[in-house]
Amino acid sequence: MFVALVPPREVLEHLEEFLEPRREAAELRWTAAEQLHVTLAFLADVEERRLDELGERLERAAARRTPLGTRIAGGGAFPHVGRARVVWAGLELDDAGRTEVRRLATGARAAAARSGVEVAGKRFTPHVTVARLGRPAEVSNWVRLLDAYAGPAWTVDRLTLVASHLGEGPRGRPRYEVVEEFALGRRRGDPHVQQD
């Protein structure tokens, strides 16, 4: 499972339209449009008995944060452009937005840890993984291309808990299932929250 910021469909479609004609130019494993997201916390193994508490803690973590504006823009690579394994698009954030996204990630990780769920991953960098490489390679041309990209603005207004079903998607990729969403700045039962 993982906790993520999932951009709206029109934002993902815009990025997809930008990437699609360029995909033939390199042997990269491109991320499917419906799987693009910003991972805040990667939860390698979540026991069923921990889900309720995890959901309650994520709801509280989301309620403490406020919605923020951003756009997918720019790019980078992990671990670095000279020997990349991952190519990513970034988030355009002002100082307040950067702080808020960092606090969202910290809150999601703390919610998981306090629920007894192990949190995997290293230092948080807000990004959308657009492609992976089978072996390390130099990708400065791809990063320069992404640096020229700026997608439509959108409002981050929720955290999403996603289950990843390994090998169940097309071509043996994971299939993602939204488990629950948590509105930023509000709790369930708040009269200003619309219940779906």
Side-chain angles (χ1 to χ4, degrees), residues 15 19 72 86 137 161:
L15 178 59
L19 293 173
I72 297 174
V86 170
L161 178 61

Side-chain angles (χ1 to χ4, degrees), residues 2-196:
F2 55 89
V3 182
L5 305 178
V6 180
R9 182 175 42 221
E10 61 272 12
V11 170
L12 298 178
E13 287 171 355
H14 191 275
L15 178 59
E16 180 69 12
E17 287 171 14
F18 176 79
L19 293 173
E20 184 58 37
R22 295 161 173 87
R23 288 190 168 153
E24 302 283 325
E27 300 238 353
L28 303 176
R29 288 191 323 265
W30 295 96
T31 305
E34 65 275 6
Q35 294 186 332
L36 296 169
H37 63 273
V38 178
T39 301
L40 298 175
F42 181 73
L43 318 174
D45 186 28
V46 181
E47 299 171 50
E48 184 77 31
R49 66 188 176 93
R50 305 227 184 251
L51 276 176
D52 287 342
E53 182 180 357
L54 175 61
E56 290 169 10
R57 290 185 181 277
L58 286 171
E59 180 184 14
R60 286 197 296 270
R64 286 193 287 272
R65 305 281 40 105
T66 57
L68 63 119
T70 190
R71 73 176 68 237
I72 297 174
F78 293 133
H80 56 80
V81 295
R83 291 190 48 78
R85 297 299 300 247
V86 170
V87 177
W88 51 265
L91 289 185
E92 182 181 279
L93 297 161
D94 60 17
D95 288 341
R98 240 183 319 283
T99 298
E100 200 66 14
V101 169
R102 251 193 327 270
R103 288 177 177 164
L104 280 166
T106 299
R109 290 167 181 237
R114 289 185 184 121
S115 300
V117 176
E118 184 179 338
V119 181
K122 299 178 182 155
R123 189 169 172 247
F124 175 70
T125 300
H127 70 281
V128 176
T129 298
V130 296
R132 297 182 186 281
L133 292 84
R135 63 180 189 273
E138 201 281 331
V139 295
S140 58
N141 287 341
W142 288 103
V143 172
R144 274 196 297 277
L145 178 73
L146 286 164
D147 277 342
Y149 176 77
W154 55 287
T155 299
V156 175
D157 62 357
R158 67 192 65 241
L159 296 180
T160 304
L161 178 61
V162 180
S164 180
H165 303 280
L166 299 179
E168 292 184 14
R171 295 188 307 268
R173 293 182 179 188
R175 176 179 60 83
Y176 292 163
E177 172 192 0
V178 172
V179 175
E180 198 166 355
E181 294 184 319
F182 309 95
L184 301 188
R186 301 184 216 145
R187 293 189 53 123
R188 280 185 221 141
D190 181 328
H192 301 292
V193 178
Q194 289 183 351
Q195 299 292 322
D196 294 328

